Amino acid sequence: MCQLTGLCDVRGNNLTGTIPDNIGNCTSFEILDISYNQITGEIPYNIGFLQVATLSLQGNRLTGKIPEVIGLMQALAVLDLSENELVGPIPPIFGNLSYTGKLYLHGNKLTGSIPSELGNMSKLSYLQLNDNKLVGRIPAELGKLEQLFELNLANNVLEGPIPHDISSCTALNQFNVHGNRLTGSIPLTFRNLQSLTYLNLSRNYFSGRIAIELGRIINLDTLDLSSNNFSGPVPASVGDLEHLLTLNLSGNHLNGSLPAEFGNLRSVQTIDMSFNYLSGSIPGELGQLQNLAALILNNNNLKGTIPDQLTNCFSLATLGFAGNPLLCGNWLGSICSPATKSRALFSRTAVVCMALGFITLLSMVIVAVYKSNQPKDLTMGSGKSGQGPPKLVILHMDMAVHTFDDIMRITENLNEKYIIGYGASSTLYKCILKNSRPMAIKRLYTRYPNDMREFETELETVGRIKHRNLVSLHGYSLSPHGNLLFYDYMENGSLWDLLHGPSKKVKLDWETRLKIAVGAAQGLAYLHHDCNPRIIHRDVKSSNILLDENFEAHLSDFGVAKFIPTAETHASTYVLGTIGYIDPEYARTSRVTEKSDVYSFGVVLLELLTGKKAVEQDSNLHQLVCF
C-alpha cells in the first residue's frame, strides 16, 4: 500500500480498526483521505512523518489528543480532523503550517483556548473550530489572516468582545460565532468587510445599539443578530442591504418603529423581528417585497391595522403577528372583534380574491411576454379571440404552412408512440411535418404554478436569442394538451444518452468529444458575454446538451434560466439545478453567477473524459479530483 501516491478513494466505506502506527513509513503518499469510515483509536504520532498535501480524517471515531507533530507537516494544504471525538487543546505549533489553506477541527471535544499562533498561518482561507468546548477570547492575531474566507467559531464557550482586528480580514466571506458567551458591541470597523455575505452573531450576550455601519456591508445575504441584548432602534441603513435573503433580529431589546426602508430589501425571503419592543405600525412598504416568504413580528408592541399592501407579497407563506395586543387582526386577544370576519385581512374571502388576482396578473404577464417575443404575428386557426382551435404562434417561417391541427393529426394528438424522452417537467415528442425537417415538441406540464413559470422563462429566453450552439425555437402553442414548444429535432439525442443510455449506439471518439465540449462552451459563452442582460442557464448538464446529425452541441432547457443585468455581478435566488452539477458555493449562498454554470460545465467535461455519471452509487463525479 505504501507504494501508492495516496489514499483518496476509500471515503465512506465503513472501514474499521485503527490507523497503523507505521503509517509514517508511506513517504510516497501525497494524499491521505480516509474520511467517513468507522476508524477508532488515537491518531498515531508517526503520521507526522508523512509528506502529504491533504490529510483528511473527517467523520470517524478517533479519540485522544491531536499529535503536535502534525504541526511539522510543512507540505499540508488541507488538514481535516473534524467530526471525531478528539479532546485536549489545539496545538499552538499549528501556527507553523504556513502553506495550509484549510483547517477543519469542528465537531470534536476540543478544550482550552484558541492559540494566537494560528494567526501565523498566512495562507489560511478556511478556519472551522465550531462545535467544540473552546474557552477564552477570540485572539486578535486572527486579524493577520489576509486570505481568510470563512471563520466559524460557533457553539463553543468563548467570552469577551470581537477583536477589532478581525476587520483586517478583508477577504472574509462568512463569520459565525453563534452560541457562545461573547459580549460587547459589533465593531464599527466591520464596515470594511465588503466581501462578507454571512454574519451570524446569534445566541450571545452582545449589547448596545446596532451600528448603522452594518448597512455598508453591501454584499450581506444573511444577517442574524438574534437572541442577544441589543437595544435602541433598528437602523434604517439595514434597508440598504439589497442582497439580503435572511434578516433575524429577534429576541433582543429593540424599540422604535419598523423602518420603512425595509421595503428596499427586494431579495429578502425571511424577516424575523419577534420578541422585541417594537412599536408603531407595520409599514406598507413591506408590500413591495415580492420574494418575502416569512414575516415574523410576534411579541412586540405594534399597533394599528395590518397594511393591505401585504397582499402583494405573493410568496408570503408564514406570518407571525400574535403577542401584539394593539395590532388589529383575526386572533385571540386582538382589539379587532374576531366575529367581524369581513375585516380580517387573511379571511377566506381575501384569500380567494388574492388567488383570483394572482391568476389574472399571471395571465396578463404571459400575454405580454408572448407578444414581446413574437417576430411576426403569424397565427393559424380562428382569428376570433377566445374561440376556435388553439393558436400556433410561428417564430420561424419554415412552420408557416402548418397549422395546429396538422401537428395534432401527424402525432395522433401526441400519442405516446411518438415520445422520444422525458424531462423533470416535460415530455418530448417527435413530429415529421410534410416537406419539412423533423421537429421536437416539448410538452410542459401545467399541474403546478412553477410549471407555468418555467414555460414563461423558456419562451422569454430562447425566443429572444439565436446561436448555432443553442436550440432554436420555431413556435409555441397554448393548447388543451398543455403548453407546447417546437424545436429542431436533434438526431443524436442528448450527450447523456450517448454516454450513459442503455443502447450507447454511437461510440464517441476523442475528436468528437472535443467538438461537443467546444460547441457547448461556445453556447455558454454567448449566454454569459454576448447577451444583454446576461443569461445564467442554472441547469447545465449532459442531458441538456443535444447533438444534431453532425454531433454539433446545442444547449437546451432554459426553464430555470436567470437574467442578470450588466451592472450586477450576481443574483440572489432560490437554488435550482440538478444534484451532482450544482455549484457548492451557489448552493451555500443562494447567489448565482456565471461561475455557477462554469462549475456545472466542468462536471460535464468530467463525464466526457471518464464516461461516468455525475452521481453514481452515492458518489459524486467531482470527487475524482483529489487535492
Side-chain angles (χ1 to χ4, degrees), residues 254-266:
L254 301 174
N255 54 37
S257 59
L258 274 173
E261 288 79 3
F262 276 16
N264 298 326
L265 301 174
R266 300 303 174 88

Side-chain angles (χ1 to χ4, degrees), residues 146-184:
E146 296 180 355
Q147 299 183 30
L148 193 61
F149 183 85
E150 179 179 347
L151 177 58
N152 193 340
L153 307 176
N155 296 316
N156 282 288
V157 200
L158 300 173
E159 299 176 330
I162 298 174
H164 290 265
D165 306 72
I166 298 295
S167 303
S168 300
C169 303
T170 54
L172 195 61
N173 182 268
Q174 297 186 50
F175 183 66
N176 188 355
V177 292
H178 162 87
N180 282 281
R181 299 178 181 177
L182 297 172
T183 56

Side-chain angles (χ1 to χ4, degrees), residues 17-61:
T18 60
I19 301 174
D21 288 335
N22 60 352
I23 188 72
N25 296 334
C26 299
T27 55
S28 62
F29 275 13
E30 297 174 3
I31 297 171
L32 178 58
D33 185 350
I34 52 176
S35 303
Y36 297 109
N37 285 287
Q38 304 293 325
I39 297 173
T40 56
E42 298 187 1
I43 302 174
Y45 177 86
N46 284 349
I47 204 168
F49 299 150
L50 296 175
Q51 297 299 312
V52 294
T54 295
L55 176 59
S56 182
L57 311 180
Q58 177 186 17
N60 284 285
R61 298 179 180 177

Side-chain angles (χ1 to χ4, degrees), residues 38-273:
Q38 304 293 325
I39 297 173
T40 56
E42 298 187 1
I43 302 174
Y45 177 86
N46 284 349
I47 204 168
F49 299 150
L50 296 175
Q51 297 299 312
V52 294
T54 295
L55 176 59
S56 182
L57 311 180
Q58 177 186 17
N60 284 285
R61 298 179 180 177
L62 297 170
T63 55
K65 295 184 177 181
I66 300 174
E68 292 194 5
V69 69
I70 293 178
L72 301 177
M73 300 173 69
Q74 292 295 313
L76 272 182
V78 178
L79 175 58
D80 191 346
L81 308 179
S82 63
E83 299 176 35
N84 282 286
E85 299 174 20
L86 300 173
V87 298
I90 300 172
I93 196 173
F94 277 12
N96 291 339
L97 300 175
S98 56
Y99 290 99
T100 302
K102 299 179 180 180
L103 177 58
Y104 302 128
L105 302 178
H106 57 277
N108 283 288
K109 301 176 182 178
L110 300 176
T111 55
S113 60
I114 300 173
S116 59
E117 289 82 356
L118 297 187
N120 298 326
M121 302 176 68
S122 56
K123 300 292 184 183
L124 199 60
S125 296
Y126 293 84
L127 178 58
Q128 295 187 3
L129 307 179
N130 50 291
D131 297 287
N132 281 289
K133 300 178 181 179
L134 300 173
V135 298
R137 294 177 172 240
I138 300 174
E141 287 79 3
L142 296 184
K144 297 189 296 182
L145 302 175
E146 296 180 355
Q147 299 183 30
L148 193 61
F149 183 85
E150 179 179 347
L151 177 58
N152 193 340
L153 307 176
N155 296 316
N156 282 288
V157 200
L158 300 173
E159 299 176 330
I162 298 174
H164 290 265
D165 306 72
I166 298 295
S167 303
S168 300
C169 303
T170 54
L172 195 61
N173 182 268
Q174 297 186 50
F175 183 66
N176 188 355
V177 292
H178 162 87
N180 282 281
R181 299 178 181 177
L182 297 172
T183 56
S185 58
I186 303 173
L188 299 182
T189 50
F190 264 33
R191 63 177 178 266
N192 299 326
L193 299 176
Q194 294 299 299
S195 298
L196 197 65
T197 66
Y198 182 90
L199 178 60
N200 190 341
L201 310 183
S202 61
R203 297 188 67 81
N204 281 282
Y205 298 101
F206 292 113
S207 58
R209 297 194 170 206
I210 298 176
I212 60 173
E213 283 78 8
L214 279 184
R216 300 183 186 178
I217 312 177
I218 57 174
N219 286 309
L220 272 182
D221 59 37
T222 298
L223 176 60
D224 191 346
L225 309 181
S226 62
S227 300
N228 280 286
N229 296 317
F230 289 112
S231 58
V234 180
S237 61
V238 174
D240 296 331
L241 301 174
E242 59 180 323
H243 301 300
L244 205 61
L245 298 175
T246 300
L247 174 63
N248 190 348
L249 304 182
S250 65
N252 283 285
H253 305 292
L254 301 174
N255 54 37
S257 59
L258 274 173
E261 288 79 3
F262 276 16
N264 298 326
L265 301 174
R266 300 303 174 88
S267 299
V268 75
Q269 298 167 9
T270 300
I271 296 178
D272 189 349
M273 306 293 295

